[in-house]
């Protein structure tokens, strides 16, 4: 009887852990969806060369060198802003630039995304379909 009770308790603990993990995944997805609802215009898709292409303007973007997302690979992301950094300058020498500007100018500067969040592409359709229908994306 004790063994049966112990097995039942262990099964309940495992089931509770699995439920808790599932709820946490769902909460993280809700948070990421809320970020998409605010930053849908700054969506970018991973390209074969490891860069990202902004869906709105087609600019080539890189993940900022100090971003956690630099170590991860996400096929689709949204970002808060971009910084313009010269290939020859240090990280402290960057200047903010609008997302609509070219990713690289004549001085060899590149656009780096900051505050990057991995997303699911269907979230763009669900949360901002009106915007991407208008752009023809």
């Amino acid at each position: 009887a004790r063994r049966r009770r112990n097995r039942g308790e262990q099964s309940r603990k495992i089931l509770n852990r699995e439920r808790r993990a599932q709820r946490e995944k769902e909460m993280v997805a809700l948070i990421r969806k809320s970020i998409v609802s605010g930053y849908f215009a700054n969506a970018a898709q991973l390209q074969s060369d490891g860069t990202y292409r902004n869906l709105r303007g087609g600019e080539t973007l890189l993940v900022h060198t100090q971003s956690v997302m630099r170590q991860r690979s996400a096929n689709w992301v949204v970002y808060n802003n971009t910084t313009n950094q010269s290939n020859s300058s240090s990280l402290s020498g960057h200047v903010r630039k609008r997302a609509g500007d070219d990713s690289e100018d004549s001085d060899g500067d590149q656009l780096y995304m900051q505050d990057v969040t991995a997303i699911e592409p269907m979230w763009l359709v669900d949360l901002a379909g009106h915007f991407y229908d208008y752009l023809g994306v």
Side-chain angles (χ1 to χ4, degrees):
R2 276 188 206 165
R3 281 188 212 164
R4 225 178 275 141
R5 188 172 13 140
N6 286 340
R7 278 191 232 142
E9 287 177 18
Q10 288 175 341
S11 295
R12 277 191 296 277
K13 286 180 182 178
I14 291 170
L15 184 59
N16 285 338
R17 263 187 291 208
E18 290 174 359
R19 286 180 183 162
R20 196 174 318 122
Q22 183 61 32
R23 280 193 307 265
E24 288 174 5
K25 278 184 177 181
E26 291 170 1
M27 290 301 293
V28 168
L30 286 173
I31 292 167
R32 290 170 49 212
K33 284 181 180 180
S34 70
I35 292 169
V36 170
S37 70
Y39 292 103
F40 60 84
N42 290 344
Q45 183 180 18
L46 183 65
Q47 302 299 296
S48 60
D49 63 359
T51 63
Y52 285 85
R53 184 180 66 82
N54 177 289
L55 297 183
R56 181 173 40 144
E59 301 89 14
T60 300
L61 305 166
L62 299 169
V63 175
H64 195 274
T65 55
Q66 295 179 343
S67 173
V68 172
M69 288 299 293
R70 184 84 169 198
Q71 307 304 320
R72 300 178 183 171
S73 179
N75 290 328
W76 293 83
V77 298
V78 292
Y79 57 92
N80 179 29
N81 65 352
T82 58
T83 60
N84 182 9
Q85 179 182 334
S86 173
N87 289 334
S88 61
S89 70
S90 68
L91 285 175
S92 61
H94 57 30
V95 178
R96 292 189 188 256
K97 218 176 166 185
R98 289 189 353 250
D101 293 341
D102 292 327
S103 64
E104 195 169 318
D105 66 18
S106 59
D107 296 331
D109 291 352
Q110 295 185 336
L111 284 179
Y112 288 85
M113 299 180 288
Q114 291 185 313
D115 304 325
V116 180
T117 301
I119 65 165
E120 297 296 328
M122 285 307 296
W123 296 348
L124 293 171
V125 174
D126 294 344
L127 299 169
H130 62 285
F131 182 78
Y132 288 104
D133 282 343
Y134 175 75
L135 290 178
V137 175

